[in-house]
Amino acid sequence: MKKLGVWSSEFGITKLLPAIMIVLGLIVARPAHAMLTAKANHDHITIDFFYHGSTVSIKGEADPNVELIIKITSPEGHQVLKQKGKIGGMLWMNVGQLEFDKTPNFYGLYSSQKIEDILSPEEMAKHVIGYPALEKHVEISPVRNDEEKAKWFEDFVKFKEEQKVYAYSPGTITMTAKGDRQEYFIMTDWPYQAAPGDYRVAVYAVKNGKVVEQAESKVNVEQVGVVKTLATMAKDKAALYGFLSIGIALSAGFAVGMVFKKGGGSH
């Protein structure tokens, strides 16, 4: 009976050997360096009285046979925009409001080539990459049909691009060979209109129309000093902030009046 037990164990191991060899082969075949990296330099931006925007650079390493897409986004949220229309066919006035849900206030997209040339529509929708995918992702109300949603989404994107908080820049990632790897780099302006908060930097490696690897970093934008104090006051002590604002405005007006009076007035 003992011999039978030993023989059975050996037989079981023998049956498992092919599977073990396949697993080991896969582990050995996978390159040790097949990993996408991402690093955002100047990833902590401070807003003070002298702040008027900044720059952010993103760099890392990737496999040599992939294209790259970089997406920088703020957390999704709820936004309300005024809807304008002509009254009596003459005057433009607010005629209602549109609500946008699941929309990032900041959406920056950069790529080594045009996204539609390197990524399938299914993958674009899966990772919410590109304006068409973002349009399907967001919820807009009230709208009567898909055509009306597309119209208002297009206007929404134009508005955000004018504010410098939405951008799509294909062909802006610099890629340089480094041995059996490649380094990538991008430098982008950071608009002063971008609100304080945490921003997600997602880097996608694309091959044969699919995302094959992904890496992440982040950018933090923070108010500091007097700017932070005033912002907190405006939020938590609105009445005091209002009186302070009026006082500052009156003082500034008085100072300007004294300058003109001293100078004899304007001619």
Side-chain angles (χ1 to χ4, degrees):
M1 293 297 294
K2 289 183 178 180
K3 291 182 178 180
L4 180 60
V6 172
W7 180 86
S8 298
S9 299
E10 292 176 349
F11 181 71
I13 293 173
T14 302
K15 290 179 66 177
L16 288 174
L17 277 176
I20 294 173
M21 294 301 294
I22 291 174
V23 172
L24 289 175
L26 290 173
I27 294 173
V28 173
R30 179 179 174 84
H33 55 259
M35 183 175 291
L36 180 67
T37 65
K39 169 62 178 174
N41 291 336
H42 198 184
D43 55 356
H44 183 204
I45 299 173
T46 56
I47 300 176
D48 55 22
F49 265 130
F50 303 100
Y51 176 76
H52 196 71
S54 185
T55 57
V56 170
S57 65
I58 301 164
K59 64 180 180 179
E61 292 189 355
D63 284 341
N65 301 317
V66 299
E67 301 292 341
L68 295 176
I69 298 171
I70 298 175
K71 183 175 71 172
I72 308 177
T73 54
S74 61
E76 294 180 357
H78 176 84
Q79 301 181 55
V80 178
L81 296 180
K82 298 296 183 181
Q83 181 180 354
K84 292 185 178 294
K86 279 189 176 181
I87 303 298
M90 297 179 61
L91 300 176
W92 285 95
M93 300 180 65
N94 293 331
V95 296
Q97 65 181 27
L98 291 168
E99 298 187 7
F100 294 77
D101 282 302
K102 298 168 62 177
T103 54
N105 192 50
F106 187 97
Y107 187 86
L109 207 56
Y110 314 89
S111 58
S112 54
Q113 295 191 42
K114 290 183 178 180
I115 291 175
E116 57 270 25
D117 292 340
I118 61 176
L119 196 61
S120 70
E122 293 78 15
E123 288 288 287
M124 292 171 67
K126 178 181 177 181
H127 299 280
V128 195
I129 297 176
Y131 289 154
L134 184 61
E135 179 188 336
K136 294 179 180 179
H137 179 75
V138 304
E139 298 174 358
I140 306 175
S141 62
V143 291
R144 292 170 293 184
N145 49 50
D146 290 340
E147 288 75 16
E148 189 174 356
K149 178 183 178 182
K151 175 187 180 300
W152 289 121
F153 179 79
E154 182 179 356
D155 289 346
F156 174 79
V157 169
K158 288 180 180 178
F159 172 69
K160 291 294 185 180
E161 287 182 334
E162 289 174 358
Q163 289 189 321
K164 309 297 183 182
V165 293
Y166 271 39
Y168 169 41
S169 303
T172 50
I173 301 177
T174 301
M175 305 172 74
T176 308
K178 182 185 178 183
D180 58 351
R181 301 278 282 160
Q182 67 174 338
E183 293 181 330
Y184 69 88
F185 175 82
I186 184 173
M187 173 75 77
T188 180
D189 292 330
W190 190 264
Y192 71 88
Q193 296 94 332
D198 291 319
Y199 293 79
R200 174 175 176 260
V201 179
V203 183
Y204 303 91
V206 178
K207 189 175 183 180
N208 298 326
K210 293 185 176 182
V211 173
V212 294
E213 227 174 339
Q214 184 175 340
E216 290 189 8
S217 186
K218 68 176 183 178
V219 173
N220 174 259
V221 181
E222 180 184 18
Q223 293 172 326
V224 296
V226 178
V227 173
K228 183 177 182 179
T229 301
L230 292 175
T232 303
M233 184 185 299
K235 180 180 178 181
D236 300 335
K237 300 178 180 179
L240 178 59
Y241 177 79
F243 283 122
L244 181 61
S245 299
I246 294 172
I248 293 175
L250 291 174
S251 299
F254 178 76
V256 172
M258 290 296 292
V259 170
F260 274 95
K261 185 176 180 180
K262 185 177 180 179
S266 58
H267 297 279

